[in-house]
């Protein structure tokens, strides 16, 4: 029950984030709905395709898809109050990242491949946001700002290690907390990965 609540909170946060980006870009209601859904369930869809789990779970059990659409409608009418709740959105977003990262990593365990567990954990956690940014023709945020994908990768790695020494169901929670903690601490202290800056060419 607790895990379902975490996934719902994450879905809502991701859908709100996608909706706000769409509104900022002045998209129509269809565009708002598409970015909300893409951000919320896009990572899970990519994960399912990579695992050969087709059609993706979002279509076989459309609960999260419908929830994302409902969020898009609400945000479209109450965009200003929602946009002001930055702290709440940051926390929910971290919860979503942690929940979806660990869920993706858990589904990859059947293949007993560490690299696959990490890759699918990260993909599930950040995939929707990457797709959203591509749709609006921007460099995905995770590639140039903030510790986001790295937090997901560390959490997926931690989950793989923890499930070796405790039941898988119990390993979900500490791994989830690791992702959330890294994400929130990095936001609070403004910690970012160093940018690579090329040298200016020497004029002759």
């Amino acid at each position: 029950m607790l895990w379902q609540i975490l996934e719902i909170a994450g879905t809502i946060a991701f859908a709100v984030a996608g909706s706000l980006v769409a509104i900022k870009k002045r998209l129509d209601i269809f565009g708002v709905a598409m970015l909300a859904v893409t951000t919320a369930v896009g990572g899970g869809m990519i994960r399912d395709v990579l695992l050969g789990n087709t059609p993706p779970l979002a279509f076989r059990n459309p609960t999260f898809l419908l929830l994302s659409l409902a969020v898009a409608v609400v945000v479209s009418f109450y965009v200003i109050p929602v946009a002001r709740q930055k702290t709440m959105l940051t926390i929910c977003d971290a919860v979503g990242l942690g929940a979806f990262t660990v869920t993706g990593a858990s589904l990859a365990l059947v293949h007993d491949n560490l690299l696959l567990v990490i890759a699918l954990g990260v993909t599930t956690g950040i995939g929707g946001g990457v797709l959203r940014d591509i749709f609006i023709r921007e460099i995905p945020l995770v590639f140039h700002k903030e510790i986001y994908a790295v937090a997901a990768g560390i959490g997926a790695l931690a989950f793989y290690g923890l499930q070796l020494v405790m039941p898988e169901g119990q390993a979900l929670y500490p791994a989830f907390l690791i992702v959330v903690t890294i994400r929130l601490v990095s936001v609070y202290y403004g910690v970012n990965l160093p940018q690579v800056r090329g040298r200016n060419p020497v004029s002759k």
Side-chain angles (χ1 to χ4, degrees), residues 3 7 51 66-67 86 93 96 132 162 191:
W3 193 254
E7 288 189 311
L51 286 174
L66 295 176
L67 178 60
K86 185 175 181 180
D93 182 69
R132 176 200 64 211
L162 288 168
V191 179

Side-chain angles (χ1 to χ4, degrees), residues 86 90 146-147 181-191:
K86 185 175 181 180
T90 299
E146 301 184 357
I147 294 178
T181 300
I182 292 174
R183 174 60 183 156
L184 292 180
V185 169
S186 66
V187 171
Y188 183 80
Y189 289 102
V191 179

Side-chain angles (χ1 to χ4, degrees), residues 146-167:
E146 301 184 357
I147 294 178
Y148 202 81
V150 171
I154 293 174
L157 177 61
F159 171 73
Y160 184 85
L162 288 168
Q163 59 86 32
L164 295 176
V165 297
M166 66 174 64

Side-chain angles (χ1 to χ4, degrees), residues 18 22 27-36:
L27 303 186
D28 60 20
I29 186 63
F30 178 76
V32 174
M34 282 299 298
L35 286 197

